[in-house]
Amino acid sequence: MKRLGSLLGSLLLLASSTFGVILPAIASAANTNLIANSSMESVDSANLPLNWAANSWGINTSSLTIADTAHTGVKSLLATVSARTNGDAKWMSDAVSVTAGQAYSYSDYYKSGVTTELDAQYIDANGNATYAYLGGVNPSADWQQASATFTVPSGIQKVVIMHILASVGSLQMDDASLLSGSVTPVPTPTPTPVPTPTPVPGGNLFANSSLETASGTTPASWSSNSWGTNAASFSYDTTGHTGSRSVTATISSYTNGDAKWYANAVAVTPGTTYTYSDYYKSAGATDVVAGYISSTGAYSYVGLPAAPAAASWIQYTANLTVPSGATKVEIYHLIHSVGSLSLDDASLVVKPVTPPAPAGTIPNSSLETASGGVPTDWTSSSWGTNTAKFTYVNDGHTGTKSVRTTVSGYTNGDAKWFFNPITSLTKGKQYRWTTWYKTNTRPQAVAMFTRADGSEEFFGMPQPFPKATSNTTWTQYSETFQVPQDAVSVTAFLFIAGNGWVQVDDQSIADYQPTGWNNPLVSLTFDDGYEGNVANALPIMNQYGFKSTQCFETQDIINGGTASQNNVLAFYNAGHEICSHTVTHPFLSQLTKAKVDTELKSSQTFLQQLIGKPVVNFASPYGDYSSSVNTEIKKFYRSHRTVDEGYNSKDNFDMYRLRVQNMTPQTTLAQYQAWLDQAKLDHTWLILVYHRVTDVSPEAFDTTQVAFKQQMTALNASGISVKTMNDALNEVTAQK
């Protein structure tokens, strides 16, 4: 599959793990791995892996081999692409039988220097294959686990899960697993009961929460447990966060499983929200899991936010709501890698009920109110390979408090503080979110919406451009978002996706009404230059007389030769605008100034020579940019179209940060119509970002030809004027 079209999409396709912990692979032994030769150790006489097949397609130079290094054992699978115009390369396991409607969990261990992806190939009774995108996978220099959960569609009898390499680079893979059902921890064996002391004063449900009371050589009312292939040891220490005792779980060698100390199960009430906290030390990130126990003794498990590494004692805290049917809970703060985890001062209390905030307001917006050493109604969260530290700081924009997120050792993922989602905003309405911040890096801004089914949707707002003094001086960030029709709660935050820190305070949400233009406008833009768009999109637009803006990365055109150049000319000769999308489609913010200029100027020069006309507008790959990148863009182009979401109006108009709505396979016709209706109501300029229009199963950021036809029909019926980027710029700049 061709590269993803937006940085925001790249970051947020994985965002489910941002707010829910990814549990370690601790499935019950009774759940058999459906993939044969899953560790790739068995080979045939030609040294090819049994039950696996090499596969590649498209115009690329690929190599598919067995590597003599592995996550476990001595063998793994290696896919390498040394040159590429399109297509991909991957190793595919034999198809396995599955049950329609059943949920399955897939995982593998991998190393790759580039972004890869997980896809499902579904096979029906007639042998017909369809495909589904399961998610992007971030680069990792060390072995790391990739995972996805999916439900088998109706009519499907077999499935192959493919870990795909679709760019120049390499992908090494080992220890693939496909399990029926969700991945759940093994129930921890119940230890021999010991007398339960009376809970400590103050409402803490855990007995012996500070571990000072011994029962023989272990702490009373506590147990230790490990499972899987690892070497675990447990100690009852003579030092602590408070008092003189604590506990430590240590893993000296690790393949899988975990180790943990945990307090004995305590009675809880379904539907009630509790706050768990402990003090801990660990050289690496650790996980926290709530184990709920029913009246029949059955266990169910829910992951809580992960705990970042901590060289000295710091507090972990998280809220949990007891599900229906649960009568008791155990909380496992666990370690699942080589290292040690020390615990002390654990607490489980009923979360105080606070009066609901007035509509549109953020509770504890100035962060002055604390609960157990952390700000009330705020949550910290991180995911990916990085070391995140969250602190409640005695320094405020107003008052004396704020929160800081610090990231070090960054490979991927992100970290942030955010106010607990609120339910008082009106669906379909636009709001302005404001925060004050200090930072020494380049944070990004997003609004997160939660649907009734618990799934999440994200709205990428323009990134802040910190001032030179932002590391010492409070700076205001203020941007707008629109609440989707299916949202039940909303939060917004600045997050860090790199090393550095950001500190926030004084957040607010207010009603927002844009200042419109004389008339509403729509622009259709297409990124990357997919070859099939000439056949699948151009005739449909021509049918309605719509002219689009086509943004091409020129390396693919050069590699594709005359055929690719003819695709560009087909759009240009039909009256569509040609726009630049760089030469090699890089993350511009990661390049030197000289390399940024080369990407900008060389692509512009090539396209101008090809069409014989100036190319004046630009779209950034992945929507990745910075203040310095924008400075360079202004040297060569009239405008810069981002993938920041929203509408362009008089009050927010910035020619070098133009806002858009991003088209994906999940964009419904109702959502598309709502965007048109909003632009028409407010007289704003709506820019739509497409990638590939396809007549086959859609991949990420694709639009099916059927959906595209429906969208163009709706656009035509709206009566809104459709203009190229350049023509729309001419119209709106005359009104400024």
Side-chain angles (χ1 to χ4, degrees), residues 608-638:
Q608 288 180 162
Q609 291 174 345
L610 179 61
I611 66 173
K613 185 177 179 180
V615 172
V616 297
N617 295 309
F618 177 77
S620 52
Y622 310 105
D624 175 49
Y625 66 96
S626 64
S627 178
S628 59
V629 168
N630 263 11
T631 297
E632 300 310 302
I633 293 172
K634 292 175 183 178
K635 294 179 181 179
F636 303 102
Y637 296 99
R638 180 187 188 186

Side-chain angles (χ1 to χ4, degrees), residues 71 96 143 181 359 387 434 500 512 560 567 577:
H71 174 251
V96 299
W143 287 108
T387 300
T434 300
Y512 168 69
N567 284 329
E577 180 188 1

Side-chain angles (χ1 to χ4, degrees), residues 428-431 449 459 480-484 647 661 674-675 678:
K429 190 172 180 178
Q430 295 184 75
Y431 292 88
F449 312 106
F459 185 101
T480 62
F481 63 85
Q482 184 175 25
V483 181
Y647 307 86
Q661 298 293 350
W675 288 334
Q678 193 71 49

Side-chain angles (χ1 to χ4, degrees), residues 530-564:
Y530 283 92
E531 296 84 354
N533 286 347
V534 172
N536 295 330
L538 180 57
I540 300 170
M541 289 188 287
N542 287 345
Q543 177 183 344
Y544 294 106
F546 296 156
K547 304 303 180 185
S548 66
T549 298
Q550 300 286 326
C551 302
F552 291 93
E553 53 173 298
T554 55
Q555 180 172 272
D556 280 353
I557 303 171
I558 295 169
N559 292 340
T562 301
S564 292

Side-chain angles (χ1 to χ4, degrees), residues 537-723:
L538 180 57
I540 300 170
M541 289 188 287
N542 287 345
Q543 177 183 344
Y544 294 106
F546 296 156
K547 304 303 180 185
S548 66
T549 298
Q550 300 286 326
C551 302
F552 291 93
E553 53 173 298
T554 55
Q555 180 172 272
D556 280 353
I557 303 171
I558 295 169
N559 292 340
T562 301
S564 292
Q565 294 180 28
N566 287 340
N567 284 329
V568 179
L569 293 172
F571 278 104
Y572 175 70
N573 292 334
H576 297 253
E577 180 188 1
I578 304 303
C579 155
S580 172
H581 199 46
T582 72
V583 178
T584 64
H585 206 281
F587 288 91
L588 289 173
S589 67
Q590 300 176 12
L591 302 183
T592 64
K593 174 178 174 293
K595 289 183 177 179
V596 169
D597 286 355
T598 297
E599 290 283 343
L600 298 174
K601 182 60 177 176
S602 296
S603 60
Q604 183 184 54
T605 299
F606 177 86
L607 291 170
Q608 288 180 162
Q609 291 174 345
L610 179 61
I611 66 173
K613 185 177 179 180
V615 172
V616 297
N617 295 309
F618 177 77
S620 52
Y622 310 105
D624 175 49
Y625 66 96
S626 64
S627 178
S628 59
V629 168
N630 263 11
T631 297
E632 300 310 302
I633 293 172
K634 292 175 183 178
K635 294 179 181 179
F636 303 102
Y637 296 99
R638 180 187 188 186
S639 74
H640 167 215
R641 197 224 67 207
T642 70
V643 294
D644 299 333
E645 293 178 284
Y647 307 86
N648 300 282
S649 55
K650 281 187 179 182
D651 58 293
N652 71 13
F653 181 66
D654 185 340
M655 291 177 67
Y656 290 93
R657 302 177 87 180
L658 293 173
R659 304 157 195 250
V660 306
Q661 298 293 350
N662 295 292
M663 305 300 299
T664 75
Q666 289 73 46
T667 302
T668 64
L669 184 59
Q671 176 63 79
Y672 187 89
Q673 185 65 55
W675 288 334
L676 297 177
D677 292 344
Q678 193 71 49
K680 192 171 184 177
L681 176 66
D682 296 331
H683 278 208
T684 52
W685 177 19
L686 169 62
I687 302 175
L688 298 167
V689 179
Y690 289 90
H691 286 79
R692 182 176 69 153
V693 176
T694 179
D695 56 357
V696 298
S697 297
E699 299 174 352
F701 297 100
D702 285 353
T703 300
T704 66
Q705 192 175 46
V706 170
F708 188 68
K709 290 178 180 178
Q710 294 172 337
Q711 292 160 8
M712 295 303 99
T713 300
L715 177 55
N716 185 61
S718 74
I720 302 175
S721 178
V722 179
K723 293 182 177 288

